[in-house]
Amino acid sequence: MNYGPLKVVSLLLVWSLSCSALALNGDPRPDAPELAARGAYQVGVRTVDVIHRDQLNILAATSADSNPRYDRPLRLEVWYPAQLKTGQAELSTYTDVLGAGANNPARPNTAFTFEGRAAREAQPLKDKAFPLVIVSHGYPGSRLQMSYLTEFLASHGYVVVAIDHTESTRADRAGFASTLLNRPLDILFVLDQVTEWAKSGSGNPFAGKIDVSHTALLGYSMGGYGVLNAAGVGTGAAALRFVPGAALQARQAGNPDFEAKRDIRIKALIAFAPWGGQQNLFDEKGLAGLRVPSLFIAGDQDDVAGYADGVRRLAEGAKNADRYLLVYENARHNIAPNPPPAAASSHPDDFSAYAEPVWDSSRINNINQQFVLAFLDQQLKSIDRQPWLTLVPRAADGKWSKDETGREKPDHTYWKGFKNRSALGLEFYHWPAQATPSSTTQRDPQ
């Protein structure tokens, strides 16, 4: 039988996937926790370009012109439950870049591709509206930085929209002031755009298929800063030194206009290694503004965002929110992204932008999948996931105690969903709103 070149490539790809237990990002390792398994929905993916018009161009601001304006383009990647056509494969090729910004001779932008488990341009599933998750990447990063998680969540019945933040990707990294100013503005603009898509009769493929009244914000590093501010955590005075003029005052704690614009569509927040705590961008007054259930995820050796005086300080200080904190012991800052792509092996800085020195990235990805799904199911779908979220603080202290039939004995305290001998190097804390962290913390922060 004579196949054309494209058919041969497709057949080889399908064959390679069937022969590898860890063929693609997010596939569960044999020791993955139970909720890391892919969900029942087929997944589609689309790229959508939107424009946030007439925005302050903070990088062009001068003493002579403090208010230059520009139209701000944003590229979005959208993953969603889909109905595939006969013969349509749940496979896509993504294109991303390495580097640390345009025209950087030390780390030039280098394009690379990788495969994902989603069908390009598939038809969204009919007759059902799914909760929304908006994803904000690191600085620099990309909308594809956490594809293992975005695809996974779509397979469990979420519409996931990840943003390429202009002037903050590996392809176009520019001044830091743009990131600080624009992260929350981009996020809230995209929420408004998706709301328009979801309206009945909009003519958009997602009309009637997204429940924006149940939205979660998910951010990594500078994306963590962005989702915190978008969800109501006002910045403190220390943040003003990073941005010229008075541009950040509109997002500052204590500003009555900021308080009045709290978005009721946002029902939950997930912050991976959020930046800003160690730098005092968020003070006690600002953290009091977080009022939605929140999951923080951190490495206790984070040397970018900080741990005890960084991520943990944010989690403990947001006392008006129901807070969870997942900690990777001996991990640094890269507890959110995909594993390093093969192309990153040619430059140590590109590799270290993805990899952890101690932890295996695929293992981290699987653990993230379990905790993020349990948290979102609990908050956005009212599915009882408390057994997966009510844990002894240190995984190593959990006791495996089951009878010969596999039934748990009264003294079984092993982390729910983890296989015997697999829950190590992890901590998990839960502080209900108004709770004092020390009342449920059995380990001093490092």
Side-chain angles (χ1 to χ4, degrees), residues 154-357:
S155 79
H156 282 275
Y158 293 89
V159 174
V160 186
V161 180
I163 307 168
D164 258 2
H165 293 279
T166 300
E167 298 156 353
S168 194
T169 73
R170 297 195 183 281
D172 71 351
R173 177 182 179 179
F176 191 54
S178 174
T179 285
L180 280 172
L181 175 64
N182 287 302
R183 281 307 176 101
L185 303 180
D186 289 349
I187 292 164
L188 294 171
F189 170 73
V190 168
L191 177 51
D192 287 340
Q193 289 289 289
V194 176
T195 298
E196 292 299 315
W197 300 352
K199 288 181 179 177
S200 178
S202 69
N204 190 280
F206 294 105
K209 299 178 176 65
I210 307 175
D211 177 11
V212 296
S213 69
H214 289 80
T215 292
L217 305 183
L218 186 156
Y220 167 42
S221 192
M222 286 310 303
Y225 154 85
V227 299
L228 283 166
N229 188 244
V233 182
T235 56
L240 300 180
R241 72 182 187 272
F242 291 99
V243 180
L248 273 190
Q249 288 182 357
R251 310 293 307 173
Q252 195 170 11
N255 183 329
D257 289 339
F258 176 71
E259 292 290 334
K261 292 178 180 178
R262 185 177 302 277
D263 200 312
I264 63 172
R265 294 170 293 186
I266 300 168
K267 297 298 195 299
L269 178 142
I270 300 172
F272 285 88
W275 191 88
Q278 190 178 59
Q279 298 75 19
N280 293 315
L281 264 67
F282 301 116
D283 56 22
E284 182 179 357
K285 184 177 182 180
L287 290 169
L290 186 62
R291 296 167 195 164
V292 297
S294 300
L295 170 63
F296 293 82
I297 302 176
D300 69 5
Q301 300 299 318
D302 191 324
D303 55 351
V304 176
Y307 175 62
D309 60 348
V311 180
R312 184 153 184 156
R313 184 180 77 79
L314 296 176
E316 291 186 346
K319 296 180 181 179
N320 291 326
D322 187 23
R323 295 145 289 152
Y324 297 84
L325 173 64
L326 172 65
V327 182
Y328 288 91
E329 295 173 357
N330 296 312
R332 292 200 182 276
H333 191 62
N334 297 335
I335 43 77
N338 290 334
S345 62
S346 62
H347 196 295
D349 289 340
D350 285 333
F351 183 82
S352 65
Y354 288 86
E356 275 294 317

Side-chain angles (χ1 to χ4, degrees), residues 327-380:
V327 182
Y328 288 91
E329 295 173 357
N330 296 312
R332 292 200 182 276
H333 191 62
N334 297 335
I335 43 77
N338 290 334
S345 62
S346 62
H347 196 295
D349 289 340
D350 285 333
F351 183 82
S352 65
Y354 288 86
E356 275 294 317
V358 172
W359 281 82
D360 174 74
S361 295
S362 295
R363 173 69 171 161
I364 291 176
N365 290 174
N366 288 164
I367 294 169
N368 288 343
Q369 287 166 324
Q370 162 143 320
F371 281 96
V372 170
L373 180 66
F375 176 76
L376 290 179
D377 279 355
Q378 184 82 34
Q379 306 305 330
L380 300 188

Side-chain angles (χ1 to χ4, degrees), residues 14 16 19 28 59 61 75 82 89 103 106 124 126 155 200 230 245 255 258 260 308 317-318 373-374 388 390 397 401:
V14 172
S16 68
C19 294
L59 299 183
R75 175 157 288 182
N103 305 314
K126 294 180 179 178
S155 79
S200 178
N255 183 329
F258 176 71
L373 180 66
W388 290 266
T390 305
D397 294 335
S401 181

Side-chain angles (χ1 to χ4, degrees), residues 31-48:
D31 61 351
E34 63 180 341
L35 294 187
R38 194 169 172 95
Y41 293 102
Q42 295 177 311
V43 177
V45 62
R46 297 179 179 220
T47 305
V48 181

Side-chain angles (χ1 to χ4, degrees), residues 394-414:
R394 294 188 71 244
D397 294 335
K399 181 180 180 180
W400 186 275
S401 181
K402 294 187 177 183
D403 62 23
E404 61 276 4
T405 68
R407 186 174 301 172
E408 294 180 3
K409 295 181 180 179
D411 61 343
H412 179 85
T413 59
Y414 210 74

